[in-house]
Amino acid sequence: MRSLTLISCGAALAFAATTASAETFEKYGEVEGWKVFVDVEKNSCLIEKIDDLENVVQMGLTADKSAAYVGVFTKGETTVKKDEKEAVAIAIGENVYLGEATGMRGNITKGYSGGYVLADDPQFIEDIARQYEMVVFPEKEFAFVVDLTGTLKAIEMVKTCIDER
């Protein structure tokens, strides 16, 4: 097992689903079901995918580009509380990562709640790019699976987007 090295998110992040204001996020492109956005405020880029149940997965870099974030948000009922931290295990391929998820409610698109993890482990990013699913085991909720199909090309597009900033 690997531990995710998590970073305090004081000035690091602001998430929003695709219904975010046009002033903050500009669509950069789309590849294999993932939308790539420029975060104008943070001068960075992120990828986002919405599944058939309207669950949202977002991935990108922190504002200082020192770590990656993965956020999963749902319209479904959750017990997630804003800024509350809880232990989480994430299985991707043969690797299991242990870390901490931070809850979000109210500061993302209305009706969504969820959480995110921050990681600076290059293997975590490589696994997300090369594997097809991620199984998340939150401390208080039921486990769930995130479809990672297409992340390799989406991450490549994000890198190009960031290089253009």
Side-chain angles (χ1 to χ4, degrees):
M1 281 191 234
R2 300 173 71 104
S3 290
L4 292 176
T5 303
L6 301 178
I7 295 156
S8 169
C9 62
L13 307 172
F15 292 96
T18 54
T19 56
S21 67
E23 301 83 47
T24 304
F25 296 95
E26 295 175 358
K27 189 170 179 184
Y28 178 83
E30 194 166 340
V31 62
E32 294 196 13
W34 289 88
K35 293 179 181 171
V36 178
F37 292 96
V38 175
D39 182 338
V40 177
E41 287 181 14
K42 306 277 187 257
N43 196 31
S44 190
C45 303
L46 63 108
I47 63 174
E48 176 181 89
K49 187 174 191 176
I50 302 173
D51 69 15
D52 294 338
L53 300 174
E54 297 184 76
N55 297 311
V56 176
V57 177
Q58 293 180 339
M59 299 179 206
L61 295 174
T62 57
D64 65 2
K65 297 181 175 89
S66 66
Y69 62 80
V70 177
V72 180
F73 309 99
T74 183
K75 286 184 175 181
E77 189 61 36
T78 69
T79 60
V80 173
K81 292 182 176 55
K82 182 179 177 181
D83 297 327
E84 184 176 280
K85 297 189 185 303
E86 72 174 68
V88 65
I90 300 173
I92 309 174
E94 295 179 5
N95 292 318
V96 175
Y97 300 89
L98 302 177
E100 195 173 59
T102 302
M104 295 188 74
R105 184 186 280 291
N107 55 341
I108 55 176
T109 300
K110 185 177 173 134
Y112 280 89
S113 65
Y116 64 91
V117 296
L118 294 171
D120 64 358
D121 183 337
Q123 186 61 52
F124 181 72
I125 308 309
E126 184 70 15
D127 284 348
I128 284 176
R130 302 232 177 246
Q131 297 296 323
Y132 295 98
E133 69 179 23
M134 171 173 67
V135 183
V136 181
F137 300 93
E139 183 177 12
K140 297 178 184 172
E141 301 284 333
F142 295 102
F144 58 91
V145 177
V146 175
D147 181 6
L148 297 176
T149 303
T151 53
L152 179 62
K153 288 185 180 177
I155 290 170
E156 288 172 0
M157 188 179 281
V158 161
K159 288 177 181 177
T160 300
C161 177
I162 289 170
D163 288 345
E164 293 174 359
R165 300 290 117 227

